[in-house]
Amino acid sequence: MGLISKYIPVDKQLHLIVGFFIGLIVAAISRQFLTGCVVAGAAGVSKECYDWVSNYLNAKKGLPKVHDVDFFDYLATQIGGVVGAGLVTLAITFGVK
């Protein structure tokens, strides 16, 4: 077990990484910090909605939950998006063309 995994669950790390790359790519394409943040947040909300629907459908079939709906999963995705979009914004602001 790595040092980071000891304190931050792997699932949250994955949400953070995915959010980071979504924010980074969208902000780089749009050249807008806010757009990168919003799209990363929308991805986080969409994933949690997917988890909720999957759990609902599985419950109707008598199957176990696929994944818990967790606000902190969304939050990790959003934080990653803010960091990714922020790095692009800093690069644009300080002269990377």
Side-chain angles (χ1 to χ4, degrees), residues 10-38:
V10 173
D11 179 52
K12 304 297 183 276
Q13 292 175 40
L14 294 174
H15 278 272
L16 192 70
I17 291 166
V18 169
F20 173 82
F21 282 109
I22 291 171
L24 184 95
I25 292 166
V26 172
I29 292 170
S30 68
R31 300 183 71 81
Q32 296 290 321
F33 171 76
L34 189 59
T35 303
C37 293
V38 168

PDB file of all heavy atoms in Angstrom, residues 10-38:
ATOM      1  N   VAL A  10      -8.337   4.608  -3.129  1.00  0.00           N
ATOM      2  CA  VAL A  10      -8.001   4.516  -4.556  1.00  0.00           C
ATOM      3  C   VAL A  10      -9.122   5.082  -5.421  1.00  0.00           C
ATOM      4  O   VAL A  10      -8.868   5.769  -6.417  1.00  0.00           O
ATOM      5  CB  VAL A  10      -7.682   3.053  -4.945  1.00  0.00           C
ATOM      6  CG1 VAL A  10      -7.492   2.910  -6.444  1.00  0.00           C
ATOM      7  CG2 VAL A  10      -6.446   2.571  -4.205  1.00  0.00           C
ATOM      8  N   ASP A  11     -10.370   4.826  -5.044  1.00  0.00           N
ATOM      9  CA  ASP A  11     -11.501   5.342  -5.810  1.00  0.00           C
ATOM     10  C   ASP A  11     -11.460   6.872  -5.898  1.00  0.00           C
ATOM     11  O   ASP A  11     -11.680   7.450  -6.964  1.00  0.00           O
ATOM     12  CB  ASP A  11     -12.812   4.879  -5.172  1.00  0.00           C
ATOM     13  CG  ASP A  11     -14.023   5.414  -5.903  1.00  0.00           C
ATOM     14  OD1 ASP A  11     -14.092   5.232  -7.134  1.00  0.00           O
ATOM     15  OD2 ASP A  11     -14.889   6.020  -5.254  1.00  0.00           O
ATOM     16  N   LYS A  12     -11.152   7.519  -4.796  1.00  0.00           N
ATOM     17  CA  LYS A  12     -11.075   8.990  -4.791  1.00  0.00           C
ATOM     18  C   LYS A  12      -9.890   9.471  -5.629  1.00  0.00           C
ATOM     19  O   LYS A  12      -9.969  10.491  -6.298  1.00  0.00           O
ATOM     20  CB  LYS A  12     -10.949   9.539  -3.366  1.00  0.00           C
ATOM     21  CG  LYS A  12     -12.044   9.111  -2.410  1.00  0.00           C
ATOM     22  CD  LYS A  12     -13.400   9.606  -2.813  1.00  0.00           C
ATOM     23  CE  LYS A  12     -14.451   9.215  -1.809  1.00  0.00           C
ATOM     24  NZ  LYS A  12     -14.994   7.881  -1.962  1.00  0.00           N
ATOM     25  N   GLN A  13      -8.788   8.720  -5.587  1.00  0.00           N
ATOM     26  CA  GLN A  13      -7.629   9.070  -6.407  1.00  0.00           C
ATOM     27  C   GLN A  13      -7.982   9.012  -7.892  1.00  0.00           C
ATOM     28  O   GLN A  13      -7.584   9.887  -8.661  1.00  0.00           O
ATOM     29  CB  GLN A  13      -6.466   8.122  -6.128  1.00  0.00           C
ATOM     30  CG  GLN A  13      -5.877   8.261  -4.749  1.00  0.00           C
ATOM     31  CD  GLN A  13      -4.808   7.218  -4.499  1.00  0.00           C
ATOM     32  OE1 GLN A  13      -4.019   6.911  -5.377  1.00  0.00           O
ATOM     33  NE2 GLN A  13      -4.786   6.671  -3.296  1.00  0.00           N
ATOM     34  N   LEU A  14      -8.737   7.992  -8.275  1.00  0.00           N
ATOM     35  CA  LEU A  14      -9.139   7.870  -9.680  1.00  0.00           C
ATOM     36  C   LEU A  14     -10.063   9.010 -10.089  1.00  0.00           C
ATOM     37  O   LEU A  14      -9.923   9.559 -11.194  1.00  0.00           O
ATOM     38  CB  LEU A  14      -9.804   6.512  -9.922  1.00  0.00           C
ATOM     39  CG  LEU A  14      -8.891   5.298  -9.757  1.00  0.00           C
ATOM     40  CD1 LEU A  14      -9.699   4.006  -9.868  1.00  0.00           C
ATOM     41  CD2 LEU A  14      -7.762   5.311 -10.766  1.00  0.00           C
ATOM     42  N   HIS A  15     -10.988   9.379  -9.217  1.00  0.00           N
ATOM     43  CA  HIS A  15     -11.865  10.516  -9.508  1.00  0.00           C
ATOM     44  C   HIS A  15     -11.032  11.786  -9.662  1.00  0.00           C
ATOM     45  O   HIS A  15     -11.287  12.598 -10.561  1.00  0.00           O
ATOM     46  CB  HIS A  15     -12.902  10.707  -8.392  1.00  0.00           C
ATOM     47  CG  HIS A  15     -14.087   9.815  -8.527  1.00  0.00           C
ATOM     48  ND1 HIS A  15     -15.193  10.156  -9.264  1.00  0.00           N
ATOM     49  CD2 HIS A  15     -14.346   8.585  -8.011  1.00  0.00           C
ATOM     50  CE1 HIS A  15     -16.082   9.186  -9.203  1.00  0.00           C
ATOM     51  NE2 HIS A  15     -15.588   8.208  -8.441  1.00  0.00           N
ATOM     52  N   LEU A  16     -10.048  11.971  -8.814  1.00  0.00           N
ATOM     53  CA  LEU A  16      -9.175  13.144  -8.870  1.00  0.00           C
ATOM     54  C   LEU A  16      -8.404  13.187 -10.189  1.00  0.00           C
ATOM     55  O   LEU A  16      -8.333  14.237 -10.848  1.00  0.00           O
ATOM     56  CB  LEU A  16      -8.212  13.116  -7.687  1.00  0.00           C
ATOM     57  CG  LEU A  16      -7.416  14.372  -7.393  1.00  0.00           C
ATOM     58  CD1 LEU A  16      -8.337  15.463  -6.852  1.00  0.00           C
ATOM     59  CD2 LEU A  16      -6.330  14.059  -6.371  1.00  0.00           C
ATOM     60  N   ILE A  17      -7.844  12.064 -10.596  1.00  0.00           N
ATOM     61  CA  ILE A  17      -7.066  11.994 -11.835  1.00  0.00           C
ATOM     62  C   ILE A  17      -7.942  12.266 -13.056  1.00  0.00           C
ATOM     63  O   ILE A  17      -7.572  13.044 -13.942  1.00  0.00           O
ATOM     64  CB  ILE A  17      -6.364  10.628 -11.946  1.00  0.00           C
ATOM     65  CG1 ILE A  17      -5.270  10.523 -10.883  1.00  0.00           C
ATOM     66  CG2 ILE A  17      -5.784  10.407 -13.338  1.00  0.00           C
ATOM     67  CD1 ILE A  17      -4.738   9.114 -10.683  1.00  0.00           C
ATOM     68  N   VAL A  18      -9.110  11.629 -13.106  1.00  0.00           N
ATOM     69  CA  VAL A  18     -10.009  11.831 -14.245  1.00  0.00           C
ATOM     70  C   VAL A  18     -10.467  13.285 -14.300  1.00  0.00           C
ATOM     71  O   VAL A  18     -10.467  13.908 -15.369  1.00  0.00           O
ATOM     72  CB  VAL A  18     -11.210  10.865 -14.185  1.00  0.00           C
ATOM     73  CG1 VAL A  18     -12.270  11.241 -15.200  1.00  0.00           C
ATOM     74  CG2 VAL A  18     -10.745   9.435 -14.402  1.00  0.00           C
ATOM     75  N   GLY A  19     -10.841  13.846 -13.154  1.00  0.00           N
ATOM     76  CA  GLY A  19     -11.232  15.254 -13.115  1.00  0.00           C
ATOM     77  C   GLY A  19     -10.108  16.171 -13.574  1.00  0.00           C
ATOM     78  O   GLY A  19     -10.333  17.141 -14.305  1.00  0.00           O
ATOM     79  N   PHE A  20      -8.879  15.855 -13.153  1.00  0.00           N
ATOM     80  CA  PHE A  20      -7.711  16.650 -13.547  1.00  0.00           C
ATOM     81  C   PHE A  20      -7.580  16.694 -15.068  1.00  0.00           C
ATOM     82  O   PHE A  20      -7.440  17.763 -15.661  1.00  0.00           O
ATOM     83  CB  PHE A  20      -6.442  16.064 -12.920  1.00  0.00           C
ATOM     84  CG  PHE A  20      -5.178  16.712 -13.388  1.00  0.00           C
ATOM     85  CD1 PHE A  20      -4.750  17.897 -12.819  1.00  0.00           C
ATOM     86  CD2 PHE A  20      -4.427  16.153 -14.398  1.00  0.00           C
ATOM     87  CE1 PHE A  20      -3.585  18.516 -13.258  1.00  0.00           C
ATOM     88  CE2 PHE A  20      -3.270  16.748 -14.842  1.00  0.00           C
ATOM     89  CZ  PHE A  20      -2.838  17.937 -14.270  1.00  0.00           C
ATOM     90  N   PHE A  21      -7.630  15.524 -15.693  1.00  0.00           N
ATOM     91  CA  PHE A  21      -7.452  15.490 -17.141  1.00  0.00           C
ATOM     92  C   PHE A  21      -8.625  16.102 -17.888  1.00  0.00           C
ATOM     93  O   PHE A  21      -8.426  16.747 -18.929  1.00  0.00           O
ATOM     94  CB  PHE A  21      -7.160  14.063 -17.620  1.00  0.00           C
ATOM     95  CG  PHE A  21      -5.741  13.667 -17.355  1.00  0.00           C
ATOM     96  CD1 PHE A  21      -5.445  12.736 -16.378  1.00  0.00           C
ATOM     97  CD2 PHE A  21      -4.696  14.256 -18.045  1.00  0.00           C
ATOM     98  CE1 PHE A  21      -4.133  12.374 -16.108  1.00  0.00           C
ATOM     99  CE2 PHE A  21      -3.381  13.914 -17.790  1.00  0.00           C
ATOM    100  CZ  PHE A  21      -3.091  12.973 -16.821  1.00  0.00           C
ATOM    101  N   ILE A  22      -9.827  15.947 -17.385  1.00  0.00           N
ATOM    102  CA  ILE A  22     -10.979  16.609 -18.018  1.00  0.00           C
ATOM    103  C   ILE A  22     -10.811  18.116 -17.938  1.00  0.00           C
ATOM    104  O   ILE A  22     -10.952  18.823 -18.944  1.00  0.00           O
ATOM    105  CB  ILE A  22     -12.307  16.162 -17.373  1.00  0.00           C
ATOM    106  CG1 ILE A  22     -12.599  14.702 -17.713  1.00  0.00           C
ATOM    107  CG2 ILE A  22     -13.466  17.064 -17.839  1.00  0.00           C
ATOM    108  CD1 ILE A  22     -13.770  14.116 -16.956  1.00  0.00           C
ATOM    109  N   GLY A  23     -10.512  18.640 -16.751  1.00  0.00           N
ATOM    110  CA  GLY A  23     -10.316  20.078 -16.595  1.00  0.00           C
ATOM    111  C   GLY A  23      -9.175  20.598 -17.444  1.00  0.00           C
ATOM    112  O   GLY A  23      -9.281  21.653 -18.088  1.00  0.00           O
ATOM    113  N   LEU A  24      -8.074  19.854 -17.485  1.00  0.00           N
ATOM    114  CA  LEU A  24      -6.901  20.245 -18.257  1.00  0.00           C
ATOM    115  C   LEU A  24      -7.215  20.312 -19.750  1.00  0.00           C
ATOM    116  O   LEU A  24      -6.940  21.327 -20.412  1.00  0.00           O
ATOM    117  CB  LEU A  24      -5.778  19.227 -18.016  1.00  0.00           C
ATOM    118  CG  LEU A  24      -4.447  19.514 -18.666  1.00  0.00           C
ATOM    119  CD1 LEU A  24      -3.560  20.234 -17.657  1.00  0.00           C
ATOM    120  CD2 LEU A  24      -3.786  18.228 -19.105  1.00  0.00           C
ATOM    121  N   ILE A  25      -7.812  19.254 -20.279  1.00  0.00           N
ATOM    122  CA  ILE A  25      -8.081  19.182 -21.718  1.00  0.00           C
ATOM    123  C   ILE A  25      -9.133  20.200 -22.135  1.00  0.00           C
ATOM    124  O   ILE A  25      -8.953  20.921 -23.126  1.00  0.00           O
ATOM    125  CB  ILE A  25      -8.493  17.752 -22.113  1.00  0.00           C
ATOM    126  CG1 ILE A  25      -7.287  16.812 -21.956  1.00  0.00           C
ATOM    127  CG2 ILE A  25      -9.052  17.704 -23.526  1.00  0.00           C
ATOM    128  CD1 ILE A  25      -7.626  15.344 -21.991  1.00  0.00           C
ATOM    129  N   VAL A  26     -10.221  20.292 -21.382  1.00  0.00           N
ATOM    130  CA  VAL A  26     -11.290  21.219 -21.756  1.00  0.00           C
ATOM    131  C   VAL A  26     -10.820  22.670 -21.646  1.00  0.00           C
ATOM    132  O   VAL A  26     -11.095  23.490 -22.527  1.00  0.00           O
ATOM    133  CB  VAL A  26     -12.560  20.977 -20.909  1.00  0.00           C
ATOM    134  CG1 VAL A  26     -13.603  22.059 -21.144  1.00  0.00           C
ATOM    135  CG2 VAL A  26     -13.134  19.603 -21.229  1.00  0.00           C
ATOM    136  N   ALA A  27     -10.074  22.993 -20.600  1.00  0.00           N
ATOM    137  CA  ALA A  27      -9.555  24.357 -20.458  1.00  0.00           C
ATOM    138  C   ALA A  27      -8.544  24.675 -21.555  1.00  0.00           C
ATOM    139  O   ALA A  27      -8.497  25.809 -22.053  1.00  0.00           O
ATOM    140  CB  ALA A  27      -8.926  24.546 -19.083  1.00  0.00           C
ATOM    141  N   ALA A  28      -7.745  23.693 -21.953  1.00  0.00           N
ATOM    142  CA  ALA A  28      -6.768  23.922 -23.024  1.00  0.00           C
ATOM    143  C   ALA A  28      -7.463  24.159 -24.361  1.00  0.00           C
ATOM    144  O   ALA A  28      -7.057  25.039 -25.131  1.00  0.00           O
ATOM    145  CB  ALA A  28      -5.811  22.740 -23.124  1.00  0.00           C
ATOM    146  N   ILE A  29      -8.510  23.399 -24.629  1.00  0.00           N
ATOM    147  CA  ILE A  29      -9.234  23.558 -25.896  1.00  0.00           C
ATOM    148  C   ILE A  29     -10.024  24.861 -25.906  1.00  0.00           C
ATOM    149  O   ILE A  29      -9.987  25.620 -26.880  1.00  0.00           O
ATOM    150  CB  ILE A  29     -10.154  22.352 -26.147  1.00  0.00           C
ATOM    151  CG1 ILE A  29      -9.309  21.104 -26.419  1.00  0.00           C
ATOM    152  CG2 ILE A  29     -11.116  22.619 -27.301  1.00  0.00           C
ATOM    153  CD1 ILE A  29     -10.091  19.813 -26.445  1.00  0.00           C
ATOM    154  N   SER A  30     -10.725  25.126 -24.819  1.00  0.00           N
ATOM    155  CA  SER A  30     -11.591  26.320 -24.774  1.00  0.00           C
ATOM    156  C   SER A  30     -10.836  27.582 -24.366  1.00  0.00           C
ATOM    157  O   SER A  30     -11.323  28.675 -24.575  1.00  0.00           O
ATOM    158  CB  SER A  30     -12.740  26.096 -23.793  1.00  0.00           C
ATOM    159  OG  SER A  30     -12.251  26.037 -22.456  1.00  0.00           O
ATOM    160  N   ARG A  31      -9.653  27.385 -23.746  1.00  0.00           N
ATOM    161  CA  ARG A  31      -8.860  28.488 -23.197  1.00  0.00           C
ATOM    162  C   ARG A  31      -9.648  29.270 -22.142  1.00  0.00           C
ATOM    163  O   ARG A  31      -9.484  30.467 -21.980  1.00  0.00           O
ATOM    164  CB  ARG A  31      -8.323  29.402 -24.300  1.00  0.00           C
ATOM    165  CG  ARG A  31      -7.419  28.648 -25.275  1.00  0.00           C
ATOM    166  CD  ARG A  31      -6.811  29.489 -26.343  1.00  0.00           C
ATOM    167  NE  ARG A  31      -5.781  30.405 -25.899  1.00  0.00           N
ATOM    168  CZ  ARG A  31      -4.504  30.090 -25.665  1.00  0.00           C
ATOM    169  NH1 ARG A  31      -4.111  28.843 -25.803  1.00  0.00           N
ATOM    170  NH2 ARG A  31      -3.643  31.006 -25.296  1.00  0.00           N
ATOM    171  N   GLN A  32     -10.508  28.549 -21.415  1.00  0.00           N
ATOM    172  CA  GLN A  32     -11.349  29.140 -20.376  1.00  0.00           C
ATOM    173  C   GLN A  32     -11.270  28.295 -19.108  1.00  0.00           C
ATOM    174  O   GLN A  32     -11.611  27.106 -19.127  1.00  0.00           O
ATOM    175  CB  GLN A  32     -12.807  29.214 -20.827  1.00  0.00           C
ATOM    176  CG  GLN A  32     -13.060  30.102 -22.013  1.00  0.00           C
ATOM    177  CD  GLN A  32     -12.888  31.565 -21.672  1.00  0.00           C
ATOM    178  OE1 GLN A  32     -13.282  32.001 -20.597  1.00  0.00           O
ATOM    179  NE2 GLN A  32     -12.282  32.304 -22.570  1.00  0.00           N
ATOM    180  N   PHE A  33     -10.836  28.891 -18.008  1.00  0.00           N
ATOM    181  CA  PHE A  33     -10.750  28.206 -16.725  1.00  0.00           C
ATOM    182  C   PHE A  33     -12.106  27.674 -16.299  1.00  0.00           C
ATOM    183  O   PHE A  33     -12.251  26.506 -15.941  1.00  0.00           O
ATOM    184  CB  PHE A  33     -10.194  29.162 -15.667  1.00  0.00           C
ATOM    185  CG  PHE A  33     -10.263  28.630 -14.267  1.00  0.00           C
ATOM    186  CD1 PHE A  33      -9.360  27.669 -13.835  1.00  0.00           C
ATOM    187  CD2 PHE A  33     -11.214  29.091 -13.369  1.00  0.00           C
ATOM    188  CE1 PHE A  33      -9.413  27.165 -12.539  1.00  0.00           C
ATOM    189  CE2 PHE A  33     -11.274  28.604 -12.081  1.00  0.00           C
ATOM    190  CZ  PHE A  33     -10.368  27.643 -11.666  1.00  0.00           C
ATOM    191  N   LEU A  34     -13.107  28.527 -16.332  1.00  0.00           N
ATOM    192  CA  LEU A  34     -14.431  28.158 -15.839  1.00  0.00           C
ATOM    193  C   LEU A  34     -15.034  27.003 -16.633  1.00  0.00           C
ATOM    194  O   LEU A  34     -15.672  26.116 -16.061  1.00  0.00           O
ATOM    195  CB  LEU A  34     -15.361  29.372 -15.850  1.00  0.00           C
ATOM    196  CG  LEU A  34     -16.706  29.184 -15.168  1.00  0.00           C
ATOM    197  CD1 LEU A  34     -16.518  28.796 -13.706  1.00  0.00           C
ATOM    198  CD2 LEU A  34     -17.529  30.455 -15.264  1.00  0.00           C
ATOM    199  N   THR A  35     -14.820  26.987 -17.933  1.00  0.00           N
ATOM    200  CA  THR A  35     -15.359  25.908 -18.757  1.00  0.00           C
ATOM    201  C   THR A  35     -14.758  24.567 -18.345  1.00  0.00           C
ATOM    202  O   THR A  35     -15.471  23.571 -18.225  1.00  0.00           O
ATOM    203  CB  THR A  35     -15.097  26.184 -20.251  1.00  0.00           C
ATOM    204  OG1 THR A  35     -15.665  27.446 -20.595  1.00  0.00           O
ATOM    205  CG2 THR A  35     -15.696  25.106 -21.125  1.00  0.00           C
ATOM    206  N   GLY A  36     -13.448  24.533 -18.104  1.00  0.00           N
ATOM    207  CA  GLY A  36     -12.800  23.311 -17.644  1.00  0.00           C
ATOM    208  C   GLY A  36     -13.370  22.838 -16.316  1.00  0.00           C
ATOM    209  O   GLY A  36     -13.614  21.647 -16.115  1.00  0.00           O
ATOM    210  N   CYS A  37     -13.590  23.780 -15.401  1.00  0.00           N
ATOM    211  CA  CYS A  37     -14.141  23.437 -14.084  1.00  0.00           C
ATOM    212  C   CYS A  37     -15.571  22.917 -14.187  1.00  0.00           C
ATOM    213  O   CYS A  37     -15.924  21.924 -13.534  1.00  0.00           O
ATOM    214  CB  CYS A  37     -14.109  24.663 -13.170  1.00  0.00           C
ATOM    215  SG  CYS A  37     -12.460  25.206 -12.727  1.00  0.00           S
ATOM    216  N   VAL A  38     -16.377  23.577 -14.996  1.00  0.00           N
ATOM    217  CA  VAL A  38     -17.785  23.184 -15.126  1.00  0.00           C
ATOM    218  C   VAL A  38     -17.912  21.803 -15.764  1.00  0.00           C
ATOM    219  O   VAL A  38     -18.697  20.960 -15.301  1.00  0.00           O
ATOM    220  CB  VAL A  38     -18.576  24.247 -15.921  1.00  0.00           C
ATOM    221  CG1 VAL A  38     -19.952  23.737 -16.334  1.00  0.00           C
ATOM    222  CG2 VAL A  38     -18.713  25.520 -15.105  1.00  0.00           C
TER     223      VAL A  38
END
